[in-house]
């Protein structure tokens, strides 16, 4: 909350008065010009009555400017976003509150807030007289089809005199940020065989192992069940030893997003790159809701700042914060200048990444081979391959043969990826179910790749 209209220091009066005079409206300038012209004519013609009229016309806007400048309004303003994080294409409401913290009522106030042009026109409100200690609340809506982080503010208060001769603008110092995140599609649970630590039913079986015994003993602690005493180790160490409880290992998922500029054509909210970003966001949220430890990885090998080596853990109270942090990252993610996916492969080959879901742009044979090698370090791999040529084709036009896309798809499937092409305007929900059916066909076919 910030107070507007502070009293100027004595040494700033001269500059402040110049600012006040610069705030003269068209009406004020017209009165001043007419008064000066009338005074000059009265002096030339020797008309004293005309001189008095000219002086009145010239002095009135100057007096209004000085009085308005000297007005000591003490007004506090605050802004509240509801919500502060909104998906692309959805609306957010901005609530503005003005409090008169002085002992004197205010005059007519004009309130306006600065917003980027992509959020809509600049909102303006006219506030009537605000009594001492009173408040006024107004609100407006903002909407953007483009994801990003947009500053709102600073709030500006425009003061005007009763005659409309002068208008001054005083700004608050604070501003807020609206985060427009990618659109998220709800995904249905599907059974993908082969992923590390299981998924769906397989994951439930993995968690059912919690509490079973292993053969690594530890010292007896007060409260341990005597039935867990490991007598062989007790005889060996000369003290009571019990068997440890096996700690369940959380299923892991890595979502790989290809951000190479050369892999996508076109721009705007309906481009292939925006679909890939939205798809990655949907997959991250879905996996967190399913209780996976999730990691977002880009072609440059970078991950979301703040996540651990195993990614963000789901099925916890912090999962909402983790999803928010990854959504904030995807809200501002842009094309990279990289030319290959080798940095991401170097990160993935460090260990078993569990389930790997990749959203890829155009791949040549070399990059398709690199992606194929990523399958060796994961329990299961699903790839959504976008063909930029089909995404830049206008409605009614016939796309090209797409031979490069078909070749990349073939190489990925030969490397045991569950790979699907993404046509323009495709639904991730339908593709996700199709991936489950394709993977089921692979397993039932004895390792042969099922065609989508």
């Amino acid at each position: 909350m910030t107070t507007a209209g502070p009293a100027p220091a004595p040494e700033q009066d001269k500059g402040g008065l110049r600012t006040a005079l610069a705030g003269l409206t068209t009406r004020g300038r017209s009165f001043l010009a007419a008064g000066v012209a009338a005074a000059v004519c009265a002096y030339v013609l020797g008309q004293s009555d005309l001189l008095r009229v000219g002086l009145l016309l010239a002095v009135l806007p100057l007096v209004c400017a000085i009085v308005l400048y000297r007005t000591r309004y003490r007004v506090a303003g605050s802004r509240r976003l509801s919500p502060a994080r909104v998906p692309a294409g959805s609306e957010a409401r901005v609530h503005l509150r003005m409090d008169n913290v002085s002992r004197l009522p205010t005059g007519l106030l004009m309130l306006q807030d600065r917003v980027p042009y992509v959020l809509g026109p600049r909102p303006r409100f006219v506030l009537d007289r605000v009594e001492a200690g009173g408040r006024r609340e107004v609100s407006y809506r903002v909407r953007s089809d483009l994801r990003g982080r947009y500053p709102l503010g600073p709030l500006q208060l425009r003061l005007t005199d009763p005659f409309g001769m002068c208008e001054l603008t005083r700004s608050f110092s604070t501003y807020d940020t609206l985060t427009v995140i990618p659109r998220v599609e709800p995904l249905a649970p599907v059974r993908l065989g082969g992923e590390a630590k299981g998924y769906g039913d397989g994951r439930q079986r993995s968690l059912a192992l919690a509490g079973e015994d292993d053969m690594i003993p530890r010292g007896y602690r007060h409260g341990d069940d005597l039935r867990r005493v490991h007598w062989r180790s007790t005889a060996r160490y000369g003290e009571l030893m019990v068997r440890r409880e096996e700690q369940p290992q959380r299923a892991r998922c890595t979502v790989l997003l290809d951000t190479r500029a050369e892999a996508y054509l076109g721009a705007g909210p309906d481009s292939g790159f925006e679909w890939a970003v939205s798809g990655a966001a949907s997959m991250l949220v879905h996996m967190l809701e399913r209780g996976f430890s999730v990691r977002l990885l880009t072609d440059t090998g970078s991950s979301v700042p703040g996540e651990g080596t195993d990614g963000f853990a789901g099925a916890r109270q912090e999962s909402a914060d983790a999803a928010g942090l990854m959504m904030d990252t995807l809200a501002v993610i842009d094309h990279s200048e990289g030319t290959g996916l080798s940095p991401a492969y170097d990160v993935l080959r460090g260990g078993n990444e569990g389930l790997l879901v990749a959203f890829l742009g155009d791949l040549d044979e070399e990059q398709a081979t690199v992606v194929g090698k990523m399958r060796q370090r994961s329990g299961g791999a699903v790839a959504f391959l976008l063909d930029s040529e089909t995404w830049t084709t206008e409605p009614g036009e016939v796309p090209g043969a797409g031979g490069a896309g078909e070749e990349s798809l073939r190489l990925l499937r030969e490397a045991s990826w569950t790979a699907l092409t993404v046509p323009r305007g495709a639904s991730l929900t339908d593709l996700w179910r199709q991936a489950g059916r394709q993977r089921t066909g692979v397993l039932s076919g004895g390792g042969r790749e099922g065609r989508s």
Side-chain angles (χ1 to χ4, degrees), residues 22 95 136 144 156 210 212 222 234 236 358 375 395 402 408 422 433:
H95 301 268
R136 297 290 185 271
S144 175
Q156 292 182 332
E212 293 187 2
H222 179 72
T234 298
R236 178 180 178 182
R375 175 64 177 82
S408 301
V422 180
R433 292 195 183 99

Side-chain angles (χ1 to χ4, degrees), residues 420-437:
L420 297 93
T421 55
V422 180
R424 182 175 184 175
S427 170
L428 180 61
T429 303
D430 297 336
L431 292 175
W432 184 237
R433 292 195 183 99
Q434 184 178 349
R437 292 193 299 267

Side-chain angles (χ1 to χ4, degrees), residues 292-321:
F292 277 66
S293 292
V294 180
R295 178 170 65 170
L296 172 63
L297 185 66
T298 66
D299 57 290
T300 61
S302 60
S303 302
V304 177
E307 67 177 0
T309 56
D310 293 336
F312 290 106
R316 293 182 181 179
Q317 185 177 1
E318 298 84 359
S319 61
D321 295 335

Side-chain angles (χ1 to χ4, degrees), residues 1-7 70-77 98-107 109 128-136 157 159 170 172:
M1 186 173 292
T2 308
T3 301
R70 291 295 185 179
T71 301
R72 294 300 185 262
Y73 289 149
R74 292 183 58 83
V75 181
M98 302 298 299
D99 294 90
N100 184 9
V101 297
S102 66
R103 297 180 180 179
L104 298 176
T106 69
L109 303 177
D128 293 332
R129 177 179 179 271
V130 182
E131 65 279 5
R135 71 178 57 169
R136 297 290 185 271
L157 194 63
L159 311 177
R170 292 173 177 173
F172 292 76

Side-chain angles (χ1 to χ4, degrees), residues 121-133:
R122 178 174 297 184
R124 292 182 173 90
F125 305 93
V126 177
L127 303 181
D128 293 332
R129 177 179 179 271
V130 182
E131 65 279 5

